[in-house]
Amino acid sequence: MPKMEASSSTSHDPALFHAPLLYHPRRRSSRPLKGFAVIIGSVVFLLSLVTLIVNQSPEPLASNPSSVTEAGSYSMAAQPRGIAEGVSAKSNPSLFDKVGFNWTNAMFYWQRTAYHFQPQKNWMNDPDGPLYHKGWYHLFYQYNPDSAIWGNITWGHAVSTDLIHWFYLPLAMVPDQWYDINGCWTGSATLLPDGRIVMLYTGSTNDSVQVQNLAYPANLSDPLLLQWLKYPGNPVVVPPTGIEDEEFRDPTTAWLGPDGSWRIAVGTRFNTTIGTALVFQTTNFSDYELLDGVLHAVPGTGMWECVDFYPVAINGSVGLDTTALGPGIKHVLKASLDDTKVDHYAIGTYDMITDKWTPDDPEEDVGIGLKVDYGRYYASKTFFDQSKQRRILYGWVNETDSEADDLEKGWASIQTIPRSVLYDNKTGTHLLQWPVEEVESLRLNATVFKDVVVEAGSVVPLDIGTATQLDILAEFEIETLVLNSTEDEVSDCGDGAVDRSTYGPFGVLVIADDSLSELTPIYFRPLNTSDGSLETYFCADETRSSKAPDVTKRVYGGKIPVLDDENYNMRVLVDHSVVESFGGGGRTVITSRVYPTEAIYGAARLFLFNNASGVNVKATLKIWEMNSAFIRPFPFEETLFQEMVAST
């Protein structure tokens, strides 16, 4: 758990703002538990018995034809585009029965982030092939050079020396061959021991068949890797017998097996419902053999895309190269579920002889257990940063407004702040995600609030001025425990911060205006259990984040372990229309998109709140105003930067 830092910054002890309760208690019934077991048999597929826990199924994102309104009602929407092309619905549908909000140019301008990566204009989705080469971090990404909506997918390219300040480079790959004419889709980079770089990516052929293709840099001595060559013998992998032509994509970074050959995993499905990762073996990256069985398969999870597979050290503080094997290592298997648009992961054991992976806990298997991020987040990908011995995670965050709005403002989607990933050896069940240390270089003036008592049912304004770009560290302590509470408590995030219980919710209100007509609560919700212990959820409530009706607004969150020697701590990165929230040192993470109409520019404020019915909480915070990052085209004509490139 990160500790609160000492600071010489100004401290404040704000007077408690006693307001009528912001929220009103509402009850809803818990969803029932259902279980089933499925046995799958095939010469290609693993025989397994997997127990599914239906109430842990993620709620749909972009593919869900519904939008949650402030009142909790649902409205039918147009089917998202992309389905006809045989890929994920990559765009947010317009809402038929919602009147479009009268957005102003000033509102659209405010929504653009200040220190998250996004293109200058147009559409972006999945991160592709991240790597570190000759002093530069490279990020490739799915990009539409022609429009702010999905289509004509090429590979955009950007570089950075610190993962925060970025230079746009020319397009890396365009769909110009029969094997990728319908799109250069998601792929991964592998750095070979001799310094070569190979890039495997999915192409959609002229017949819309998904195949795997090989590309490599034209000049390895170029630190910017400006030119990429496609292998003349592409495609190198085609859908095996029994696999649907349009459900076979997104090759992983390769790892080296004990037999000296390389392996990659590719996502697919079997019998339309069994999410599956196939393993292929190669010695030269141009010829591949499908191995017997599967790396792993989970019934009921549907198509797996953007599969990621990597090792973590169970007693380490650094990341591991993808090829690392041996004692003291667990393996993470992550899949992006096409049916629900949610990234799930599980921790388990990889058998390097049989090339099979087994989850530590079958009830927390891929697709039915832990999520990488519980909010608006998808298609994540990691890479090993050999310069700092760490594993870095990227994730795509799309918009929740309408396509018409995206077309009007001229851009859509961002990438999260890169996150470091470690195994949580305190719980043994979770990963820890944390913003890379470089983001702290953007911190400006800091303000500290110590031991602020937030009474039950109250809101406390925090006087920090404009609250549009922030880095917040907050720690909460429940003042007293209420024993044997018999209050009927909703056993999850409920309907949001409106659902009161004995111990919560409590947390911060970000991107709020003075009148609290718009606000986004980030909060903890501890709940009594039948054995007298507390079970805690970490949540984000977007339902009152905007007065605009044509914006999707949801309550996100998940269970978070809080150990006996720990307080409730969170870190929240606020950057205009995106809020990234890290609970418990990064055990549970939530990304939110918010589109306020009034809580913008100088009107954006920050508050503490406590909507518990029975206890006070004490809060200590350190809050930094965040500078903007420079994200702009590479200055090829500037001598200074030419010298910088030459020196690396």
Side-chain angles (χ1 to χ4, degrees):
M1 175 189 301
K3 301 295 184 182
M4 298 301 298
E5 302 177 23
S7 172
S8 59
S9 307
T10 304
S11 295
H12 296 268
D13 184 14
L16 194 65
F17 173 47
H18 291 279
L21 286 180
L22 268 177
Y23 320 113
H24 304 284
R26 287 185 285 175
R27 294 183 180 179
R28 70 175 189 179
S29 59
S30 300
R31 288 172 290 182
L33 291 171
K34 297 181 181 178
F36 65 93
V38 180
I39 299 177
I40 52 174
S42 165
V43 293
V44 179
F45 289 88
L46 183 68
L47 292 172
S48 62
L49 181 66
V50 180
T51 303
L52 297 181
I53 304 177
V54 174
N55 75 312
Q56 290 180 318
S57 300
E59 293 187 359
L61 293 182
S63 63
N64 186 355
S66 304
S67 174
V68 181
T69 68
E70 290 87 346
S73 61
Y74 289 78
S75 58
M76 296 307 295
Q79 186 182 62
R81 293 174 310 98
I83 294 176
E85 287 83 357
V87 298
S88 303
K90 298 292 188 182
S91 53
N92 201 46
S94 301
L95 306 178
F96 280 144
D97 60 349
K98 294 294 182 183
V99 176
F101 187 78
N102 186 25
W103 298 100
T104 65
N105 287 335
M107 292 174 182
F108 281 147
Y109 185 80
W110 181 89
Q111 291 173 14
R112 191 168 176 89
T113 61
Y115 59 90
H116 283 70
F117 178 80
Q118 59 185 120
Q120 289 175 283
K121 61 180 180 178
N122 296 334
W123 170 269
M124 174 179 66
N125 53 283
D126 309 5
D128 294 319
L131 59 91
Y132 179 83
H133 177 68
K134 293 186 178 295
W136 293 90
Y137 292 99
H138 291 255
L139 173 63
F140 305 89
Y141 50 92
Q142 303 279 275
Y143 182 61
N144 183 354
D146 301 324
S147 176
I149 56 179
W150 185 90
N152 188 29
I153 294 301
T154 68
W155 274 36
H157 187 190
V159 292
S160 171
T161 58
D162 63 1
L163 295 168
I164 301 300
H165 304 285
W166 292 91
F167 291 114
Y168 303 119
L169 293 179
L171 298 176
M173 285 193 286
V174 299
D176 58 2
Q177 302 296 319
W178 71 267
Y179 51 76
D180 63 11
I181 196 65
N182 280 315
C184 296
W185 292 351
T186 300
S188 302
T190 300
L191 278 60
L192 303 184
D194 61 6
R196 288 181 297 160
I197 300 171
V198 295
M199 194 76 76
L200 293 169
Y201 72 97
T202 297
S204 180
T205 73
N206 51 355
D207 290 325
S208 295
V209 177
Q210 293 171 15
V211 298
Q212 314 316 316
N213 301 313
L214 172 64
Y216 38 84
N219 180 9
L220 270 177
S221 64
D222 174 15
L224 298 183
L225 300 176
L226 290 174
Q227 293 184 316
W228 288 81
L229 302 176
K230 298 176 183 178
Y231 175 59
N234 280 335
V236 294
V237 184
V238 300
T241 301
I243 297 299
E244 301 164 81
D245 287 347
E246 297 183 352
E247 304 293 349
F248 178 65
R249 54 185 174 268
D250 309 337
T252 66
T253 296
W255 68 93
L256 192 62
D259 58 359
S261 64
W262 294 86
R263 282 113 163 109
I264 64 167
V266 180
T268 186
R269 69 181 185 184
F270 183 64
N271 285 348
T272 73
T273 63
I274 304 171
T276 306
L278 301 177
V279 181
F280 293 82
Q281 178 177 281
T282 183
T283 57
N284 57 12
F285 288 91
S286 58
D287 300 291
Y288 292 81
E289 176 188 359
L290 174 64
L291 298 184
D292 291 339
V294 299
L295 179 65
H296 194 57
V298 181
T301 57
M303 172 64 194
W304 284 7
E305 55 183 0
C306 300
V307 171
D308 204 4
F309 185 63
Y310 57 90
V312 288
I314 61 175
N315 288 305
S317 58
V318 297
L320 298 176
D321 181 85
T322 307
T323 288
L325 297 169
I329 291 176
K330 294 281 189 180
H331 273 75
V332 176
L333 179 60
K334 167 258 159 182
S336 299
L337 272 58
D338 191 22
D339 290 350
T340 59
K341 304 301 175 290
V342 174
D343 278 17
H344 280 264
Y345 78 91
I347 300 171
T349 300
Y350 169 57
D351 186 327
M352 65 187 76
I353 304 301
T354 63
D355 289 298
K356 303 293 186 293
W357 176 90
T358 304
D360 287 348
D361 182 355
E363 293 190 354
E364 294 287 339
D365 207 346
V366 179
I368 60 175
L370 297 172
K371 301 177 184 178
V372 178
D373 188 300
Y374 287 76
R376 192 76 176 190
Y377 180 94
Y378 197 61
S380 60
K381 182 176 293 294
T382 67
F383 76 103
F384 178 65
D385 174 11
Q386 70 271 29
S387 70
K388 291 192 174 182
Q389 300 297 299
R390 58 185 177 175
R391 182 156 291 274
I392 301 296
L393 170 71
Y394 286 99
W396 166 52
V397 186
N398 68 342
E399 307 298 317
T400 62
D401 59 359
S402 68
E403 284 192 348
D405 292 339
D406 293 344
L407 288 168
E408 187 171 350
K409 67 189 179 189
W411 58 270
S413 304
I414 63 172
Q415 298 289 333
T416 58
I417 292 297
R419 304 169 184 173
S420 62
V421 179
L422 290 172
Y423 177 80
D424 181 10
N425 55 28
K426 291 184 70 175
T427 65
T429 57
H430 286 63
L431 294 178
L432 296 176
Q433 302 175 52
W434 202 246
V436 292
E437 60 185 358
E438 288 88 342
V439 75
E440 297 170 15
S441 67
L442 298 177
R443 289 172 171 173
L444 299 174
N445 53 296
T447 307
V448 175
F449 299 89
K450 295 182 178 179
D451 297 332
V452 180
V453 176
V454 190
E455 295 180 355
S458 68
V459 175
V460 177
L462 298 175
D463 184 14
I464 61 167
T466 301
T468 289
Q469 295 172 212
L470 300 176
D471 186 351
I472 304 166
L473 282 176
E475 190 170 82
F476 299 87
E477 181 180 357
I478 296 174
E479 283 202 319
T480 57
L481 292 179
V482 179
L483 300 178
N484 301 320
S485 172
T486 59
E487 183 176 353
D488 182 15
E489 298 181 337
V490 177
S491 59
D492 53 19
C493 290
D495 287 323
V498 296
D499 276 337
R500 305 186 72 189
S501 59
T502 303
Y503 294 107
F506 57 81
V508 295
L509 305 176
V510 300
I511 307 296
D513 63 341
D514 281 325
S515 67
L516 301 178
S517 66
E518 291 180 328
L519 49 83
T520 300
I522 310 297
Y523 59 93
F524 292 102
R525 182 179 171 81
L527 298 169
N528 283 304
T529 63
S530 57
D531 63 5
S533 63
L534 288 180
E535 181 178 84
T536 302
Y537 291 82
F538 183 56
C539 313
D541 180 358
E542 301 173 353
T543 57
R544 288 168 294 167
S545 62
S546 174
K547 293 182 177 179
D550 56 341
V551 173
T552 302
K553 289 164 279 189
R554 295 186 176 175
V555 178
Y556 293 108
K559 191 181 299 182
I560 182 169
V562 180
L563 305 185
D564 291 341
D565 61 343
E566 297 175 343
N567 285 329
Y568 301 89
N569 75 83
M570 66 171 72
R571 183 176 181 184
V572 182
L573 296 178
V574 178
D575 187 6
H576 295 257
S577 62
V578 61
V579 180
E580 292 189 67
S581 305
F582 302 80
R587 287 177 187 146
T588 301
V589 185
I590 309 169
T591 299
S592 307
R593 292 308 301 271
V594 295
Y595 306 87
T597 63
E598 297 182 9
I600 58 177
Y601 296 104
R605 295 285 183 265
L606 178 68
F607 297 84
L608 287 169
F609 83 100
N610 177 14
N611 202 33
S613 60
V615 299
N616 298 339
V617 295
K618 186 186 298 182
T620 296
L621 305 92
K622 189 170 185 179
I623 305 162
W624 290 267
E625 180 187 355
M626 295 292 276
N627 203 352
S628 299
F630 68 73
I631 304 175
R632 58 191 178 92
F634 193 92
F636 288 104
E637 304 302 321
E638 296 181 21
T639 303
L640 174 64
F641 287 95
Q642 291 175 348
E643 293 174 352
M644 180 192 302
V645 172
S647 67
T648 57

